[in-house]
Amino acid sequence: MNFLKKHCVAMLLAGGQGSRLLVLTENTAKPAVPFGGKYRIIDFPLSNCVNSGIDTVGILTQYQPLELNEYIGNGQPWRLNRSHGGVQVLPPYAKSKKSEWYKGTANAIYQNIPFIERYDPDYVLILSGDHIYKMDYAAMLRFAEQKNADCTIAVRTVPLAEASRFGIMNTNEDGSIYEFEEKPKHPKSTNASMGIYIFKWDILRQFLIADEEDPSSDNDFGKNVIPALLSSGHKLFAYKFEGYWKDVGTISSLWEANMELLGTDPAFNLDSEKGGRIYARNYAMPSSFIAKSSANSDSLIGEGSGIYGAVKHCVISTGCTVEEGAVVEDSVIMPNVVIESGAIIRHAIIGEDCHIRRGAVIGGSFAEGEEKKIAVVGKAKTIEANQTIAPGEVC
Amino acid sequence: MSTMGIIFANIYDSSLGELTNKRTMASLPYGGRYRQIDFSLSNMTNAGIRHIGVITKYNYQSLMNHIGSGQEWDLELEEGGLEFLTPYAADHNASYRGKLDALRSAMSFLTYSKEEYVVLVDSGVLCAIDFNELIEHHIASGADVTVCVKAGIANGVKQLDMAVRTDKKNAVTDVAVDYCADESYLASMGIFVMRRDRLIREVTEAVAHNRFRFERDFVMPGFTDGSLKLNAYKFQGVALFNESTAEFFHNNLALLDRNIREGLFRRPGRTIYTKVRNEIPSYYGDSSEIDDCMVADGCVLEGTAIHSILFRGVKLGKNAVVKDSIIMSDAVIGEGAELENVILDKDVVVGAGKKLCGTYEHPLILKRGEIV
């Protein structure tokens, strides 16, 4: 087999359980969780790669990868079905000497050194499959080259009051990082790491091998590899990212990110004119039928749906049915959900393939300023007629 | 029972005026997100027919662009997949005089294929049909040619390319061509099945004897003189004949009827595939009012649409009102504009406050890219 050299190879970490998404990731890897009416979370980093000219992407899977693997297939929806490079799903595999699951983010890359080596890259881009954003990685790569950085870490500015929740990079005037503090009690700056790294491959390789040989290491980029690079005098730079970015690792952040797609001038504009097109695997469905009895406002509605009821400030995914007399507000309805007449759904996330029977009441309303507790119904569940799911309840 | 397919992309272009001025019948947009050829292509691949020749004579740029490698229908094979059969530059006949003539040009495609049967399909009738059932019916009948027919279309007013009458035993008793047949006739859906070797023989013979039209010069005379055993397969599902502007208009709006919708789409095992465009889901603004419409992806809706078909990427401005209309992709309807019984082709821009009105039988058509 012949492999062409690639300037930069992307490695997308998609193996985590995403346990804070509870029932939504019971049987599904987090990157395969539906988002925005017709996407899955992984569409964002994948589309960013192809829009940035990166055509070689290894996707590291581990937890419940079936749906994710099927979804990715040969990478064709993201134009990543290439003869040289393209997308490659990388699960852990048995070796002759030592077989193990991925035990940490760095270990996952370490175990795939042979994959990366095939392309003899100058740089490796490390991404995670948990974030919603549009980013031009090529611009970050140019920055890395210009600074001759051994490692470049994308950072975003967070409010000082929240900085203690993040990995904070303290930088000099020129953007070089002199200190890295994980969730500091007294943050010295507001540059929060986005978990997006560009490494010079030969440097990364060296540190991955060293890290693997350290039995006390957690084999994690943030905890182990980055600090090791920093303390050994290597050149690390912070690349400032200005756009919208959301870690959708919790129920409330997933719900918020969906809501932030709504409005005539949304906080996150999916429009291809603004930062590139997000590609997804599309299923052959006819256009949606919007009935006279429906009343839709401030909502996104995917194709293949039949809307006969009232939908307000929602993201309704593809293939859904909202029957006449049903009321859906401030909610995220994932693909292929049926909501029967008389059901009332407010401030909820309804998982794929659910069936909500007549008169069921899910979630509730909140006063201005009150904390919104999002009710969640997991994938393929049936909520019986007139059953009640309380605000914030997860089932 | 191996079968190949032939799709005629544009035999009746002239009857749809501006809509088929620069595109084939097959690439005519339909139903919010499809093109007419999606139905024949999908029906074929759903029946496992993957070796398909698309015969087209002119205006086929958008068709080739739409189909590409045939990937969406699982047809991108190195061999035995989809092929475009365009007029040979070398042939002195740049324009086909009829389907037999067109098939003559595609002779090497036919002779180098290995399949036993051929399904020949026109591009003007939309349906979700099980071709396996049709082929089995054909073989069981022992006929030379089976024509797929539909009741309830012939009405004494509509001119049919071909119409047949059958007796109680379903045997064909009469064949008429280019005829305004009455209700006792069944309309041909432009779908035929026959053996490939027989088709090759017939095409060669016919063209050599100055006969070019499939129905008029082959099927009908063969039936009349007894040299052709003709079988009729009565299709029971939804079949929409889009052979005139008015029919095209009515058949799009017909999708607003649940039975028609369900008769065409989402039939188990008979999904209609089409080219994907990766639009974002449609946004329904606070001031939008959408009543009984089909809406595709990528629309931004702030105004009112009633009983209409909105294709991908349509922008409907505030206080605009669209009624009984077909708005094709990326059209922009300005604030306060009023449209009724209108077909807007792709990329049309209707300025703010403009009023456009056709009638149900004579919809007003704006051609692609027109700015009002």
Side-chain angles (χ1 to χ4, degrees):
Chain A
M1 282 196 270
N2 259 336
F3 293 91
L4 282 185
K5 179 178 166 71
K6 298 282 177 184
H7 183 49
C8 178
V9 166
M11 297 294 271
L12 210 164
L13 297 160
Q17 181 171 351
S19 52
R20 288 174 301 163
L21 286 180
L22 313 169
V23 283
L24 294 172
T25 46
E26 219 166 27
N27 296 310
T28 307
K30 181 157 60 159
V33 168
F35 179 84
K38 62 176 281 188
Y39 305 99
R40 304 218 173 220
I41 296 174
I42 201 171
D43 290 325
F44 292 84
L46 273 184
S47 303
N48 289 338
C49 279
V50 79
N51 290 337
S52 304
I54 295 170
D55 65 9
T56 305
V57 185
I59 302 183
L60 291 92
T61 59
Q62 176 155 270
Y63 175 77
Q64 294 280 16
L66 179 62
E67 234 177 304
L68 186 60
N69 292 350
E70 274 174 351
Y71 184 68
I72 292 168
N74 67 351
Q76 181 267 326
W78 305 271
R79 286 114 169 92
L80 288 171
N81 53 328
R82 311 278 176 112
S83 326
H84 296 283
V87 77
Q88 180 75 33
V89 171
L90 301 166
Y93 57 95
K95 306 174 190 61
S96 52
K97 291 213 177 69
K98 185 165 103 160
S99 299
E100 52 182 2
W101 297 106
Y102 294 143
K103 37 183 191 170
T105 52
N107 172 258
I109 308 294
Y110 167 79
Q111 289 201 44
N112 284 288
I113 289 176
F115 168 75
I116 299 172
E117 293 276 73
R118 290 171 129 84
Y119 300 101
D120 187 26
D122 302 311
Y123 290 93
V124 172
L125 166 67
I126 308 287
L127 300 169
S128 85
D130 309 336
H131 306 140
I132 300 296
Y133 64 115
K134 287 190 194 182
M135 183 169 167
D136 180 1
Y137 302 136
M140 182 177 169
L141 184 57
R142 282 193 298 272
F143 174 87
E145 287 168 322
Q146 193 202 5
K147 299 284 186 186
N148 197 21
D150 297 318
C151 172
T152 307
I153 302 174
V155 297
R156 51 189 272 275
T157 309
V158 296
L160 190 57
E162 298 189 19
S164 48
R165 298 198 288 132
F166 299 95
I168 300 291
M169 305 286 158
N170 299 321
T171 55
N172 298 314
E173 284 278 313
D174 64 352
S176 57
I177 300 171
Y178 66 84
E179 192 180 20
F180 162 47
E181 294 188 300
E182 183 70 44
K183 298 189 172 54
K185 284 204 177 68
H186 306 287
K188 294 183 199 152
S189 75
T190 55
N191 300 319
S193 167
M194 294 165 69
I196 298 171
Y197 316 110
I198 292 182
F199 290 91
K200 278 191 181 162
W201 171 232
D202 46 7
I203 309 271
L204 176 61
R205 190 170 174 284
Q206 187 192 323
F207 275 79
L208 287 176
I209 293 171
D211 182 78
E212 183 65 17
E213 280 158 21
D214 176 1
S216 66
S217 170
D218 284 322
N219 308 118
D220 182 87
F221 273 106
K223 287 194 202 130
N224 307 107
V225 175
I226 305 281
L229 259 120
L230 200 52
S231 61
S232 60
H234 279 85
K235 294 203 289 178
L236 282 77
F237 278 82
Y239 172 77
K240 275 204 158 73
F241 175 70
E242 309 274 288
Y244 176 92
W245 178 92
K246 194 101 172 178
D247 179 333
V248 288
T250 62
I251 296 289
S252 54
S253 61
L254 180 65
W255 179 86
E256 274 164 26
N258 273 283
M259 295 294 118
E260 280 161 2
L261 300 171
L262 302 174
T264 41
D265 187 20
F268 184 43
N269 197 330
L270 286 171
D271 196 317
S272 55
E273 304 282 309
K274 307 221 156 66
R277 193 180 286 275
I278 301 298
Y279 300 96
R281 187 171 286 282
N282 285 258
Y283 302 98
M285 288 193 183
S287 307
S288 287
F289 179 71
I290 312 295
K292 189 163 173 192
S293 56
S294 72
N296 305 318
S297 64
D298 198 19
S299 295
L300 287 174
I301 300 180
E303 278 193 317
S305 290
I307 310 292
Y308 301 81
V311 170
K312 187 169 151 187
H313 195 248
C314 289
V315 173
I316 310 276
S317 303
T318 53
C320 290
T321 305
V322 177
E323 285 186 6
E324 193 172 345
V327 173
V328 189
E329 289 176 5
D330 300 299
S331 294
V332 179
I333 311 296
M334 292 189 173
N336 304 313
V337 166
V338 174
I339 299 171
E340 288 186 12
S341 175
I344 302 178
I345 301 177
R346 285 167 295 183
H347 291 101
I349 298 178
I350 308 294
E352 261 184 292
D353 305 320
C354 279
H355 196 121
I356 313 294
R357 295 205 186 280
R358 10 184 60 232
V361 176
I362 301 177
S365 302
F366 302 96
E368 189 78 39
E370 212 186 325
E371 189 210 333
K372 296 184 167 75
K373 290 187 256 177
I374 307 300
V376 183
V377 179
K379 195 174 163 182
K381 301 235 161 78
T382 299
I383 302 298
E384 300 301 340
N386 303 309
Q387 188 179 343
T388 306
I389 307 290
E393 189 181 330
V394 175
C395 66
Chain B
M1 180 194 90
S2 60
T3 312
M4 60 184 287
I6 298 232
I7 299 176
F8 296 97
N10 51 349
I11 298 295
Y12 307 111
D13 286 355
S14 52
S15 48
L16 274 115
E18 292 108 323
L19 293 171
T20 46
N21 233 346
K22 294 222 167 67
R23 52 159 82 93
T24 66
M25 183 80 138
S27 45
L28 191 54
Y30 176 82
R33 65 170 303 198
Y34 300 96
R35 295 207 189 235
Q36 302 213 154
I37 201 172
D38 294 333
F39 292 84
S40 342
L41 274 179
S42 304
N43 288 330
M44 287 187 182
T45 58
N46 286 336
I49 299 170
R50 296 174 80 193
H51 193 201
I52 300 172
V54 178
I55 294 186
T56 174
K57 55 178 169 165
Y58 46 61
N59 283 343
Y60 43 84
Q61 175 61 33
S62 74
L63 181 66
M64 290 181 82
N65 184 285
H66 175 72
I67 295 178
S69 64
Q71 184 160 249
E72 267 86 359
W73 301 267
D74 239 3
L75 292 169
E76 78 292 13
L77 305 169
E78 283 137 25
E79 270 182 52
L82 181 131
E83 285 182 51
F84 280 98
L85 304 166
T86 52
Y88 292 155
D91 200 318
H92 65 280
N93 263 341
S95 177
Y96 301 136
R97 288 164 288 182
K99 288 193 284 199
L100 289 174
D101 201 16
L103 287 167
R104 177 77 178 77
S105 273
M107 191 52 73
S108 60
F109 174 73
L110 282 170
T111 47
Y112 287 112
S113 299
K114 300 191 176 70
E115 289 83 2
E116 227 182 312
Y117 293 93
V118 188
V119 175
L120 301 123
V121 182
D122 284 345
S123 291
V125 178
L126 309 182
C127 63
I129 183 174
D130 184 346
F131 277 147
N132 283 325
E133 213 177 276
L134 170 66
I135 295 160
E136 275 161 21
H137 188 270
H138 168 72
I139 295 174
S141 73
D144 299 311
V145 174
T146 292
V147 57
C148 193
V149 295
K150 180 79 187 142
I153 302 290
N155 57 11
V157 174
K158 178 176 160 64
Q159 172 150 311
L160 299 170
D161 299 324
M162 187 170 122
V164 306
R165 263 207 193 117
T166 56
D167 63 21
K168 283 199 187 63
K169 294 202 211 120
N170 269 335
V172 177
T173 55
D174 185 23
V175 175
V177 171
D178 293 336
Y179 184 50
C180 295
D182 65 40
E183 294 87 354
S184 65
Y185 281 84
L186 300 153
S188 158
M189 289 167 63
I191 298 174
F192 297 88
V193 188
M194 60 190 294
R195 289 184 60 86
R196 184 176 60 89
D197 50 16
R198 177 73 185 264
L199 178 64
I200 292 171
R201 241 182 10 253
E202 295 292 346
V203 167
T204 314
E205 285 300 302
V207 176
H209 292 91
N210 216 30
R211 290 182 270 126
F212 306 114
R213 298 195 45 198
F214 191 86
E215 287 90 345
R216 174 179 289 285
D217 302 335
F218 163 51
V219 179
M220 188 173 67
F223 168 77
T224 308
D225 67 26
S227 61
L228 182 82
K229 181 162 180 238
L230 181 66
N231 170 49
Y233 172 84
K234 290 181 182 158
F235 179 63
Q236 305 295 342
V238 171
L240 301 176
F241 286 62
N242 281 355
E243 292 164 338
S244 67
T245 315
E247 282 176 320
F248 174 77
F249 182 57
H250 302 157
N251 286 332
N252 265 282
L253 295 181
L255 286 174
L256 302 173
D257 172 342
R258 192 174 204 148
N259 292 323
I260 304 288
R261 260 199 323 281
E262 290 181 0
L264 276 188
F265 303 117
R266 320 257 231 150
R267 320 229 357 112
R270 291 188 235 166
T271 307
I272 306 298
Y273 298 98
T274 187
K275 182 177 175 181
V276 153
R277 224 173 81 161
N278 277 300
E279 296 283 355
I280 67 185
S282 285
Y283 178 70
Y284 297 70
D286 281 336
S287 53
S288 71
E289 175 78 43
I290 310 296
D291 290 349
D292 289 344
C293 291
M294 286 208 83
V295 181
D297 265 354
C299 293
V300 179
L301 308 171
E302 304 279 7
T304 300
I306 301 168
H307 202 255
S308 294
I309 310 283
L310 306 181
F311 281 63
R312 288 178 279 202
V314 167
K315 310 265 183 287
L316 182 62
K318 268 204 175 94
N319 300 316
V321 180
V322 171
K323 258 190 237 167
D324 295 304
S325 292
I326 303 187
I327 313 295
M328 294 194 187
S329 29
D330 302 310
V332 177
I333 299 167
E335 294 195 8
E338 287 172 27
L339 278 62
E340 189 170 345
N341 289 317
V342 159
I343 301 178
L344 297 189
D345 207 325
K346 297 167 136 219
D347 302 313
V348 167
V349 177
V350 178
K354 297 278 185 270
K355 298 197 202 330
L356 299 170
C357 193
T359 67
Y360 188 64
E361 289 307 322
H362 301 282
L364 176 65
I365 304 177
L366 290 192
K367 65 179 201 279
R368 183 173 183 167
E370 195 94 72
I371 300 180
V372 176

